[in-house]
Amino acid sequence: MHITVIGSGYVGTTIAACFAEFGHEVTAIDIDEDIVATLNNGQAPITEPGLDDLLETHAGDRLTATTSYDAIPESDVTFLAIGTPSNDDGSIDLGALEAAAEATGEALATKSERHLVVIKSTVTPPSIPEQLEPAIRNGADDNDAVEVGMNPEFLREGSAVADFQNPDKLVFGTNSEWASNRLHEVFEPVLDAETPVVETDPQTAAMIKYANNAFLASKISLINDLGNICKEFGLDAYEVMEAIGLDDRISEQFLRSGVGWGGSCFPKDVNAIIAAAREENYDPALLEAAVEINDRQPRRMLELLAQHVSLEGTRIAVLGLSFKPQTDDIRNSRAIPIIERLQEHGAEIVAYDPVAADEMADRFPEINYASTAAAALRDAEGALVVTDWDEFRNLDTEFDEMATPVVIDGRQCIERRDGIVYEGLTW
């Protein structure tokens, strides 16, 4: 099939490369000329394991990038993967997505064959019928050949390629059997007896996406709350969580208590569903509590650090800047509120991350960045471990170079040993 993917961020780049790997002909469309040039050169504009290999293989062959929408009428399916940032009240800003949807419709205005436009971007449930579909149809002059569907993504940054190629589930939100069949054709390479396919309407498909992430985020916050309680009793939260994870109603996943969740999906989706609920005059108390607990965890790290060292004028190492390992994404990283609070206390900050230092330097150009974890730790009077990169698990004698070896571990990735003062966040 010929597929067009509009938007070349974390989602759009990943699905475009994976569709090409499936054997489809893919045209990636983005307004950023630098991103288009990067893709055509077979390089990824983001850090994601496996993505560079796919782009190097398929760029210039089954995958091309352009700033023009001209390829859309010649394609079979168009995926909208435009970013949907959060407004101040937690609701979703659909401005860029609506503009892309209307431009897509305009490109399809004279097409006579049926064409499926699939919304891949994360949107609030009421927005699909009220805003996006009309935007597409208005652009297409109400062309009846254009149909709109929803196919939410459940990709985890750091394993997005593997997740796309081996999905836990596929959700097809459509209004016709033809549209559903078209999505089955697109995803045929990963459809087998073990891949559940949920077929529903577009609104329900969008809600599934929100419910999925809201549940996982709430689970993490609940575990962090329980972990905080365990620490107050002097108990190892991880031993407790290992035991409750044996209950098949709970399972072991997302039971690692720590500094909290970040990234794009969880914060945006939870805040958006809270905002949507409030618009319907419903008080989502549990979800609000999940956000409050998540916001509390970085503060707890600094409270623990302050029990051992004064922060004013003190050299503090921050290890890990991306919101999770295997990505350079710093959106809603727990390192951001930690750095901000360290600055408020007048600390001298030296930060290190294997891939995300440049991204964070754009936000905090005034702090120091080290080229290695060892360099960040040297002469520091405290260390905060924020991201669980594998290389941090191998740190040992590097802590001996600290002026005061105090380690506050937000991810339980540093081995306790004599010679360092160690505090786990929830154990």
Side-chain angles (χ1 to χ4, degrees):
M1 301 178 74
H2 182 189
I3 296 172
T4 44
V5 177
I6 304 177
S8 296
Y10 283 88
V11 174
T13 301
T14 299
I15 68 172
C18 288
F19 282 149
E21 178 72 3
F22 287 176
H24 300 305
E25 178 186 348
V26 182
T27 301
I29 300 172
D30 199 281
I31 61 173
D32 191 317
E33 293 182 355
D34 290 337
I35 289 178
V36 168
T38 298
L39 291 174
N40 285 328
N41 287 332
Q43 299 174 316
I46 58 172
T47 297
E48 187 64 44
L51 192 53
D52 277 320
D53 291 339
L54 292 181
L55 290 171
E56 184 178 356
T57 300
H58 300 298
D61 183 16
R62 288 204 291 261
L63 175 61
T64 57
T66 179
T67 59
S68 171
Y69 279 62
D70 290 346
I72 293 176
E74 305 303 319
S75 66
D76 301 300
V77 180
T78 296
F79 283 83
L80 291 174
I82 302 294
T84 51
S86 299
N87 294 312
D88 291 340
D89 63 355
S91 62
I92 297 298
D93 181 355
L94 295 171
L97 181 56
E98 287 179 326
E102 186 165 353
T104 299
E106 291 173 356
L108 294 167
T110 60
K111 183 164 183 176
S112 58
E113 298 87 3
R114 296 174 82 174
H115 187 94
L116 178 62
V117 178
V118 183
I119 300 166
K120 197 74 173 174
S121 304
T122 300
V123 293
T124 51
S127 300
I128 295 172
E130 294 180 0
Q131 297 182 57
L132 295 182
E133 187 167 350
I136 296 170
R137 295 200 178 282
N138 288 342
D141 291 330
D142 292 325
N143 186 348
D144 291 336
V146 179
E147 295 197 29
V148 180
M150 180 81 189
N151 172 227
E153 54 84 14
F154 301 93
L155 308 180
R156 297 168 298 171
E157 289 186 42
S159 60
V161 171
D163 289 346
F164 194 85
Q165 295 176 338
N166 302 278
D168 290 327
K169 61 178 174 290
L170 291 169
V171 178
F172 298 160
T174 64
N175 291 314
S176 73
E177 184 178 357
W178 173 86
S180 178
N181 290 340
R182 182 57 47 114
L183 283 173
H184 275 269
E185 291 180 55
V186 170
F187 287 94
E188 192 276 333
V190 293
L191 291 177
D192 56 42
E194 297 181 357
T195 303
V197 178
V198 178
E199 299 192 57
T200 184
D201 59 85
Q203 293 89 340
T204 302
M207 189 64 204
I208 289 170
K209 161 72 171 178
Y210 275 100
N212 197 99
N213 283 350
F215 183 88
L216 293 176
S218 297
K219 184 176 182 180
I220 294 171
S221 286
L222 174 59
I223 289 306
N224 283 340
D225 211 20
L226 291 171
N228 295 338
I229 295 170
C230 286
K231 188 172 182 68
E232 295 302 314
F233 282 100
L235 304 175
D236 186 337
Y238 276 65
E239 183 177 355
V240 173
M241 302 317 161
E242 184 178 356
I244 69 172
L246 298 174
D247 190 323
D248 60 10
R249 297 167 300 175
I250 297 174
S251 87
E252 63 181 348
Q253 296 188 50
F254 287 82
L255 294 188
R256 294 180 57 84
S257 56
V259 70
W261 34 268
S264 173
C265 290
F266 283 5
K268 182 174 74 172
D269 290 0
V270 175
N271 288 324
I273 198 63
I274 288 173
R278 287 172 178 162
E279 289 180 3
E280 299 298 319
N281 296 315
Y282 177 78
D283 179 19
L286 180 59
L287 292 178
E288 290 175 332
V291 173
E292 181 181 350
I293 292 169
N294 195 60
D295 291 343
R296 182 195 306 163
Q297 296 304 97
R299 297 197 298 269
R300 283 181 57 83
M301 288 192 73
L302 295 188
E303 289 168 0
L304 289 172
L305 179 62
Q307 292 176 12
H308 300 282
V309 299
S310 171
L311 299 183
E312 185 175 357
T314 303
R315 179 182 171 94
I316 303 297
V318 178
L319 300 184
L321 301 173
S322 58
F323 87 93
K324 65 183 292 188
Q326 310 304 323
T327 179
D328 60 350
D329 193 353
I330 64 167
R331 289 176 292 180
N332 294 291
S333 167
R334 298 296 83 194
I336 292 173
I338 285 173
I339 291 172
E340 290 174 341
R341 286 183 172 272
L342 285 173
Q343 288 179 319
E344 290 173 3
H345 288 285
E348 177 192 344
I349 304 166
V350 56
Y352 169 72
D353 188 280
V355 300
D358 289 344
E359 297 289 334
M360 194 64 83
D362 289 338
R363 177 158 186 153
F364 295 106
E366 67 278 6
I367 71 173
N368 299 312
Y369 294 89
S371 58
T372 65
L377 291 170
R378 192 172 299 122
D379 298 326
E381 296 189 53
L384 299 165
V385 183
V386 185
T387 313
D388 49 338
W389 285 96
D390 284 343
E391 69 174 85
F392 297 161
R393 301 179 188 279
N394 298 321
L395 294 174
D396 186 8
T397 57
E398 292 85 353
F399 294 114
D400 297 332
E401 301 299 316
M402 296 179 66
T404 307
V406 175
V407 179
I408 311 300
D409 187 356
R411 300 294 184 185
Q412 204 201 31
C413 61
I414 305 300
E415 186 174 350
R416 300 174 189 244
R417 68 167 176 83
D418 294 337
I420 63 174
V421 176
Y422 178 94
E423 288 274 12
L425 182 58
T426 58
W427 59 93

